Amino acid sequence: MQKSVRLFSALLIAILFLPACTNKQAPSPSGGVTGGRDFGGNIIPDGEFDGNYGLELRDGNEGIQNGYYNGREMVFGILEPIYFGFDSSSIAASERTKLQKAADYLEANPTAGLLIEGHADWYGTAEYNLALGDRRAESSSSYLGTLGIDPLRIDKLSKGSLESTSGLSKSESFKDRRADLIILK
C-alpha cells in the first residue's frame, strides 16, 4: 500500500510540474525582453525593462556635427590610428611610437586638442563593444598622460562596433580594433 501511495505521489508531482518546464513564453510584441533583473538582482516588472541594463544608448556621433566636435574642427589623417589585439585595450609596444608622435604634435601645437575615438570589431554585443571602445580610448589617453599631455586637451568617444565590418574573421577585422587620433583645432 505504501509503495502505491509513493508511486501515486511521484506521478502526481510529475504531472503537475513537468508541463511548466516545457511551456515557452511568447515573445513580447516588441521582440524584446519584457521583464528582468537589474545588476543588484532586483526584479524589474514587465513593461519596465528596456533590455539595456541601464546602459545609455548612443548613436556614436555624440558631439559630432558637420566635421566639428563640440564646436572644434576635426582634422583627420595627421596622426595614425592605434591598433589593438582582439578583446584588448592594452597598447602594444609597436603602437607606442604613434602615441609619442601624437604627444609631439600636441606639444608643438599648444592650441590643438585631440579626440580619441575607440572602435571595436563586430564580435561581441553592442554594449560590450561600446565599453571596449571606451577602454581603448581611455588607455590611449592615459598613455598620453604619461608622456606629459594635459588630460584636459583630450576628449574621448567610443564608437564601439558601429563602423565595423561584420562577417570578417578575427584576423581580417584587425583594422576595426583601433583608436583613431583626430586633431581638434
Side-chain angles (χ1 to χ4, degrees):
M1 175 81 174
Q2 282 185 344
K3 283 186 177 181
S4 298
V5 171
R6 286 184 192 166
L7 182 61
F8 178 74
S9 297
L11 287 173
L12 182 61
I13 290 172
I15 291 170
L16 292 175
F17 291 106
L18 283 180
C21 295
T22 60
N23 285 344
K24 291 185 180 179
Q25 180 179 356
S28 65
S30 64
V33 179
T34 59
R37 292 184 181 265
D38 64 15
F39 284 119
N42 303 311
I43 295 174
I44 301 171
D46 289 353
E48 294 181 21
F49 183 66
D50 60 7
N52 71 6
Y53 295 99
L55 294 172
E56 181 182 331
L57 297 176
R58 298 186 277 180
D59 66 2
N61 291 320
E62 196 172 288
I64 298 175
Q65 187 174 33
N66 297 327
Y68 286 82
Y69 177 77
N70 291 336
R72 298 182 77 181
E73 181 184 5
M74 299 169 65
V75 181
F76 297 88
I78 293 176
L79 301 171
E80 296 178 70
I82 308 303
Y83 292 103
F84 294 87
F86 179 76
D87 197 28
S88 174
S89 58
S90 297
I91 299 170
S94 60
E95 298 298 302
R96 294 178 186 159
T97 57
K98 296 175 183 178
L99 288 166
Q100 182 62 57
K101 289 178 184 177
D104 293 343
Y105 181 90
L106 291 171
E107 285 177 7
N109 298 279
T111 60
L114 185 67
L115 172 62
I116 303 175
E117 285 185 345
H119 295 265
D121 59 29
W122 69 281
Y123 290 91
T125 65
E127 292 84 7
Y128 179 82
N129 288 335
L130 192 61
L132 182 57
D134 278 334
R135 290 194 305 273
R136 288 173 174 166
E138 183 59 42
S139 69
S140 299
S141 176
S142 294
Y143 190 83
L144 287 168
T146 66
L147 298 176
I149 301 303
D150 182 355
L152 296 176
R153 296 180 67 191
I154 301 171
D155 288 298
K156 299 171 293 274
L157 178 66
S158 176
K159 294 246 180 152
S161 56
L162 290 173
E163 297 177 357
S164 67
T165 305
S166 63
L168 297 177
S169 70
K170 289 179 183 176
S171 61
E172 291 172 327
S173 59
F174 78 94
K175 288 187 177 184
D176 290 332
R177 298 187 291 267
R178 69 184 189 281
D180 289 334
L181 306 178
I182 303 164
I183 299 297
L184 298 175
K185 292 200 175 200

